[in-house]
Amino acid sequence: MKDIVLEENVMVKMSDGIRLAIDLYKPEIKGKFPALFAMSPYGKEFQRYPGGIYPFVEAGNINYFVSRGYVYVIADSRGSFPSEGRWDFFDEREQQDGAELIEWAARQSWCNGNVAMIGES
């Protein structure tokens, strides 16, 4: 992906000590940007396939949004892929993880404090 900086498997500690793996896609230029957040148990690495041709693409076209000045934050749900813990379908802990990751993203030096969710499911 041209003009995009990818940071893979950044481990973010949740309030209960479990660490979740995220991938960050940032514009190559310096600055503070709004963030788009997606999380799923299907594997964040599948999001890299262009044009949504892979059946598990949840978060849309990364190039489109990052090239327009957004940071993309994609997380593997608790207990999936490199994220620690145990995944339970739509449980309260998964919801809390999402809220904590949104708050984490808003505090980062690359974020202007605005975070929106994106995804098909």
Side-chain angles (χ1 to χ4, degrees):
M1 287 179 239
K2 188 177 179 187
D3 302 324
I4 295 176
V5 175
L6 170 59
E7 294 180 34
E8 297 179 80
N9 292 319
V10 175
M11 300 302 283
V12 180
K13 187 184 252 185
M14 299 292 97
S15 58
D16 65 352
I18 293 295
R19 297 178 313 142
L20 303 184
I22 64 166
D23 285 352
L24 296 171
Y25 298 83
K26 300 186 288 188
E28 196 171 48
I29 60 174
K30 300 290 182 196
K32 289 183 175 264
F33 307 96
L36 295 172
F37 170 72
M39 182 170 73
S40 82
Y42 304 124
K44 59 188 169 33
E45 69 276 3
F46 294 127
Q47 306 304 315
R48 296 186 198 136
Y49 291 87
I53 60 172
Y54 197 83
F56 294 117
V57 173
E58 286 279 322
N61 188 325
I62 294 167
N63 285 328
Y64 178 85
F65 289 105
V66 177
S67 70
R68 286 160 175 78
Y70 290 87
V71 173
Y72 234 72
V73 179
I74 302 176
D76 281 329
S77 297
R78 172 181 295 252
S80 65
F81 296 86
S83 288
E84 299 172 348
R86 180 178 159 221
W87 181 70
D88 288 315
F89 188 68
F90 293 132
D91 73 343
E92 287 184 31
R93 185 63 234 193
E94 183 180 29
Q95 295 170 38
Q96 185 174 341
D97 289 343
E100 288 182 27
L101 285 171
I102 289 169
E103 291 172 3
W104 173 87
R107 292 189 308 266
Q108 300 309 299
S109 62
W110 42 259
C111 188
N112 68 6
N114 295 300
V115 181
M117 291 185 74
I118 191 166
E120 295 181 18
S121 296

